[in-house]
Amino acid sequence: MRRLPKIAQKGESDMSKSKVSNTVRGDNSASWLKRFFHSGIILYIILIVLAVIYIMPFVTQIATSFKTDADATANPVSLVPEIWTTAAYKKLFLNSDFPVWFKNSFIVTIVVTLGRVFFDSLAGYALARIDFRGRNVVFSLLLAVMSVPMVVLLIPKFLIIKSLGIYDSYAGMILPLLIDAAGVFIMKNFFESIPRSVEEQAMIDRAGTFRIFWSIVLPMARPAIVTISILSFQGSWNELSHFIVSTQSSALTTLTKGVASLASGQLSQGNQYPVKLAAAVIMTIPVAVLFFIFQKQIMNSSEGSVKE
């Protein structure tokens, strides 16, 4: 009878130790979960999943462009072709007007990009620095143009191009795209961020407005210029609706119109998945290369332009 209390005491001790152990485990689990959530692992997992979802169509596009027609039709989302072949690329460059499409897109894109950088910068500087009558009205109209869907302007644009006699020509393809409201808006905001004291010394030396703009202010706007260049290149390279209403001749067909025509089976019968996606791959390369080269410079904060 004397041993019973000791046994009971021992049982109570074991139970208390078990409770303490469970409590410690619970605390460790809670702290581990807290560290897990605060470490940002979930955020990285979500970003990885989104990246895979975003990249997969491009990977599938590249893989399919190296397939045969039969393989692409039977296994459209397979990432490994059964037989690697460049027949789709040969067909594009040797048996189609693809080189003409590429040449037209290249010419239009380069001219439009250079023109937009120059004219958007001029207009942005005028709205930011020159105090002329009606400046606020012009800026309000600029914002209004940005809010209008481009599809609404297609018919008026066609009528104007026709009346000017530049329909179905490089002039009709290029001139309406030389000014971009969004580009003017970006340049205006950037020029306003540059201190006016930068221009005061040039004014004292009696430099003209254009000289101040060209020699002093414009070199300081490199981040904005890079941004406008990339946006203009991408926008004119991928433009479709404007070229539909401004050209008709097959000699002036651009990549966007040509690739769109492939969807209707222009080259031959069948699905033509490899040919279509090969054209899309080639069309994607210039914009992707340009973006990856200059992505770090897009709208970076300007370096200190005034030494104190």
Side-chain angles (χ1 to χ4, degrees):
M1 296 296 296
R2 294 179 181 177
R3 293 180 179 178
L4 291 177
K6 292 182 178 180
I7 294 174
Q9 186 177 3
K10 183 178 180 182
E12 293 177 358
S13 176
D14 292 339
M15 290 178 62
S16 62
K17 289 180 179 179
S18 177
K19 291 180 179 180
V20 171
S21 178
N22 291 335
T23 303
V24 172
R25 290 177 182 175
D27 292 341
N28 290 336
S29 299
S31 62
W32 182 85
L33 288 174
K34 187 181 293 186
R35 288 198 301 270
F36 179 78
F37 282 106
H38 283 286
S39 63
I41 295 178
I42 292 181
L43 179 60
Y44 285 117
I45 293 174
I46 294 175
L47 290 176
I48 291 173
V49 171
L50 293 176
V52 170
I53 294 174
Y54 183 78
I55 293 174
M56 277 301 294
F58 295 98
V59 178
T60 304
Q61 171 180 288
I62 295 172
T64 304
S65 68
F66 290 99
K67 296 178 181 179
T68 61
D69 287 338
D71 185 17
T73 302
N75 306 294
V77 295
S78 174
L79 299 181
V80 181
E82 291 183 358
I83 300 176
W84 288 85
T85 176
T86 57
Y89 293 94
K90 292 178 181 178
K91 193 172 190 177
L92 277 178
F93 285 99
L94 301 179
N95 299 323
S96 73
D97 295 328
F98 188 84
V100 177
W101 305 343
F102 192 93
K103 180 198 72 174
N104 291 332
S105 289
F106 182 79
I107 293 173
V108 172
T109 299
I110 294 300
V111 176
V112 169
T113 300
L114 295 176
R116 280 189 181 181
V117 170
F118 180 70
F119 291 114
D120 289 355
S121 299
L122 278 176
Y125 183 77
L127 291 173
R129 286 292 193 261
I130 301 177
D131 188 13
F132 58 90
R133 182 178 298 178
R135 183 176 68 170
N136 294 332
V137 175
V138 173
F139 184 65
S140 300
L141 291 175
L142 179 71
L143 296 178
V145 170
M146 292 175 60
S147 64
V148 176
M150 290 297 103
V151 67
V152 177
L153 304 176
L154 287 182
I155 295 178
K157 185 183 293 186
F158 169 76
L159 296 175
I160 293 173
I161 291 174
K162 265 286 193 182
S163 63
L164 292 176
I166 58 176
Y167 178 75
D168 210 16
S169 66
Y170 278 118
M173 299 169 68
I174 293 173
L175 292 179
L177 299 179
L178 287 180
I179 298 294
D180 178 53
V184 176
F185 181 77
I186 292 174
M187 295 304 298
K188 173 184 178 297
N189 288 340
F190 193 90
F191 286 138
E192 288 179 343
S193 68
I194 298 177
R196 288 183 178 270
S197 56
V198 173
E199 306 163 58
E200 291 177 355
Q201 183 62 43
M203 292 179 181
I204 294 174
D205 294 337
R206 297 182 180 180
T209 303
F210 184 80
R211 178 65 181 277
I212 295 174
F213 160 76
W214 186 258
S215 301
I216 299 176
V217 180
L218 192 61
M220 298 171 57
R222 183 180 178 184
I225 291 175
V226 171
T227 301
I228 296 298
S229 300
I230 293 177
L231 294 178
S232 299
F233 187 95
Q234 182 180 16
S236 54
W237 184 264
N238 296 328
E239 180 63 45
L240 175 60
S241 58
H242 170 68
F243 299 141
I244 290 176
V245 300
S246 62
T247 60
Q248 185 179 10
S249 172
S250 59
L252 294 175
T253 301
T254 58
L255 274 175
T256 48
K257 287 183 65 177
V259 173
S261 68
L262 292 178
S264 60
Q266 181 191 31
L267 297 181
S268 63
Q269 299 298 322
N271 293 325
Q272 305 180 74
Y273 291 145
V275 174
K276 295 173 185 177
L277 294 180
V281 168
I282 297 174
M283 187 175 174
T284 305
I285 289 175
V287 177
V289 170
L290 187 71
F291 177 78
F292 283 116
I293 291 176
F294 295 104
Q295 60 177 331
K296 293 183 179 180
Q297 301 183 38
I298 297 178
M299 290 305 295
N300 287 334
S301 58
S302 59
E303 298 178 357
S305 55
V306 181
K307 295 182 179 180
E308 297 180 358

